[in-house]
Amino acid sequence: MAINSQEGPRYDADALASPEGFGPVRARADKGRAITAAARAVFGRDGYARTSIDAIAAEAGVSTRTIYNHFEGKQQLFSAVLLASATRVAEGFIADVERRLTAANPGGDRRGDLLALGRSLAALRGDFPEHFGMVRQIEAEAPHFPPETIAAWQQAGPLRVLREIARRLEQLADGGLLRVGDPSVAAVHFAALVTADLTTYYGAPAPDDLGGVEAFLHGYATPPRAP
Amino acid sequence: MAINSQEGPRYDADALASPEGFGPVRARADKGRAITAAARAVFGRDGYARTSIDAIAAEAGVSTRTIYNHFEGKQQLFSAVLLASATRVAEGFIADVERRLTAANPGGDRRGDLLALGRSLAALRGDFPEHFGMVRQIEAEAPHFPPETIAAWQQAGPLRVLREIARRLEQLADGGLLRVGDPSVAAVHFAALVTADLTTYYGAPAPDDLGGVEAFLHGYATPPRAP
DNA sequence: TGTAAAGCACAACGTGCATGGCAATCAACT
DNA sequence: AGTTGATTGCCATGCACGTTGTGCTTTACA
C-alpha cells in the first residue's frame, strides 16, 4: 500500500538513472524503466481500471511475471509511476520557468514574465500527455486510492507547481506589476485561468495566445477599486 | 450505442414524470425511476468501471433482469442517466440564477448580481454531488465512450450553463459593470475562477466567500490598461 | 375470479483479470 | 565450466462481472 516498500527487490526504477555499471544491474534497471514507462503510457491512455497488467507487459516488452518481481502489484505500480511522473513534471516546470524568465528578463519586461509563466504552465499539458492522462484518472478515482498515495502525489506535483507560481507572482508583485493579496490564492486563480484557456470546454485545440493571462492581468472591471 | 434507441420498450425513464395513470404503467415508470436514481448514485460514487450492475440493482431494489428490461446495457444506462442528470442540473442552474438575480435586483446592485451568479454556479457542486461524480468519470474516460454520448452531454449540461453565464455577463457589461470582449470566453474564465475556489487544489472544504469572483471583478492589475 | 403483463429469484455461461508457482533459460561474473 | 541471479513461458487458481434464459410470483384490471 505504501509508496515505497521496505522488503524485497523493489525500488523506484525511474529514479535510478544508473549511469554507471553494466551487467545484470544495468539490465535490471532497464527492465524497471521499461515497465514504468509502459505503465505511464497505458495508465494515461486507458485509465487505471481498464488497464491490465498484460497490456503493460506487452507495451514494455517484458513478461507479466517480471512486473510482479519489480512491484508488489497493480496499485503499487500505479502509485510509484504517478509519483515519479509528477516529480518529473514539476521539476520540468520549474526549470522551464527559470529558462523562460531569464530569457525575457534582459528587457526587464515584467509583463512578458507573466506571459512566460503562463506559457510554461500551458506547455505542461502538451509536453506530458501521458502524465496528465494519469492525473485525470486520479481526480476521478481519488476516493478509491489510499490517501497516502493522493497526498504524496499532490506534494510532489501540483502543490509544488503552485508554490512555484506563487513565488513568481510574489516577485512580480514586488516589482510593481501585480497587486496580490494571498499569493497562493492568486496562484490557484492564475493556474485556473491558464488551463481554462487550454481545454476550451471541452476538447477544442489549444489556442496559442493565452487570453487567461490577459484576464488575470487586466481583470474585467472597468473601475479599479481597492478590495 | 445511440442515446435513444428506436426499438423495444426502452425510454428515458427520468423524463417521464408519469403524473397520469396508475397501473402497470405507473409501476413500470417507478421502477425505471428507481433504476436511474440508483445508477446516478452508484456511478457517481464509484465510477463507471467499478460499478457493477448488481450494485445498481441492489441500490434500486430491483433485480438485474429488470435493469436489462429497461436499458440495453451498462453503457446505454450510463449515457441515459448522465444526459438526464445534466439536463436537470443545467435547468436547476438557470432557474437558480433567475431566482437569485431577481432577489438582488431591487437595489439595482449589479455587483451583487455578479456575486449571485457565482453563488449559483458554486452551489451546483454541493447540490448535485452525484452528478458531478459522474462528470469526473466522463472527463477521465471520455475517449472510451461513444462521441455522441459526450457531445449530447456537453450540449445538455456544461455548454448550456456556459451560454447562460455568457448571457448574464453580457447583461452586466451592458449595465456598465464589466468590460468583456467575447462573452463566451469571459464565461469560461468566470467558471474557471469560481470552481477553482471550490476545489482549493484539492479536497479542502469550500470557502463560502468567492474570492474568484473578486478576482474576476477587480483583476490583479494595478494600472488598468485597455487591451 | 381469470388473465396477461411485468417483475422476480436463481442459475448459468463466457470472459477477463490479478496474482502466484515452477521449472527452464539466459547472461554475466568467478 | 560453474554459479548466481534475473527473466521467461506456461499453467493454475480464484474471483468478479456483463449478460441471458427460465420458470415462478405478483399486480392491476376485465
Side-chain angles (χ1 to χ4, degrees), chain B residues 127-138:
Chain B
D127 289 345
F128 302 95
E130 300 171 347
H131 172 76
F132 285 97
M134 297 183 62
V135 168
R136 265 192 300 276
Q137 296 304 322
I138 291 261

Side-chain angles (χ1 to χ4, degrees), chain A residues 1-3 74-84 145-146 149:
Chain A
M1 288 291 179
I3 299 301
K74 192 182 175 184
Q75 183 123 343
Q76 199 261 342
L77 172 60
F78 184 86
S79 300
V81 167
L82 177 72
L83 186 62
F145 279 86
T149 298

Side-chain angles (χ1 to χ4, degrees), chain A residues 178-202:
Chain A
L178 302 177
R179 158 172 50 91
V180 294
D182 186 342
S184 62
V185 171
V188 170
H189 290 167
F190 183 78
L193 283 175
V194 170
T195 61
D197 276 340
L198 296 181
T199 54
T200 325
Y201 244 85
Y202 295 87

Side-chain angles (χ1 to χ4, degrees), chain A residues 45-176:
Chain A
R45 190 188 326 127
D46 294 341
Y48 180 83
R50 285 184 205 267
T51 294
S52 70
I53 298 291
D54 281 338
I56 296 175
E59 178 109 358
V62 303
S63 74
T64 68
R65 209 61 192 75
T66 306
I67 294 183
Y68 283 97
N69 287 340
H70 281 256
F71 298 91
E72 292 172 4
K74 192 182 175 184
Q75 183 123 343
Q76 199 261 342
L77 172 60
F78 184 86
S79 300
V81 167
L82 177 72
L83 186 62
S85 184
T87 304
R88 223 172 31 153
V89 170
E91 280 168 1
F93 170 73
I94 292 175
D96 193 49
V97 168
E98 181 67 26
R99 197 177 320 122
R100 293 195 199 232
L101 283 199
T102 52
N105 240 351
D109 177 15
R110 304 201 175 278
R111 208 164 154 283
D113 283 357
L114 189 68
L115 258 173
L117 189 65
R119 278 190 216 287
S120 288
L121 185 58
L124 285 187
R125 267 169 182 72
D127 288 346
F128 302 95
E130 299 171 348
H131 172 76
F132 285 96
M134 297 184 65
V135 168
R136 265 192 300 276
Q137 296 303 322
I138 293 260
E139 283 170 350
E141 297 213 77
H144 300 286
F145 279 86
E148 315 90 62
T149 298
I150 309 292
W153 157 64
Q154 287 178 358
Q155 287 296 331
L159 290 181
R160 204 161 150 211
V161 167
L162 279 178
R163 226 176 298 133
E164 174 72 6
I165 294 178
R167 199 173 66 85
R168 297 292 184 174
L169 290 182
E170 221 169 355
Q171 286 179 5
L172 293 176
D174 291 345

Side-chain angles (χ1 to χ4, degrees), chain B residues 158-171:
Chain B
L159 290 181
R160 202 160 152 211
V161 167
L162 279 178
R163 225 175 299 133
E164 173 71 6
I165 294 178
R167 198 173 67 85
R168 297 293 184 173
L169 289 183
E170 219 169 355
Q171 286 180 4

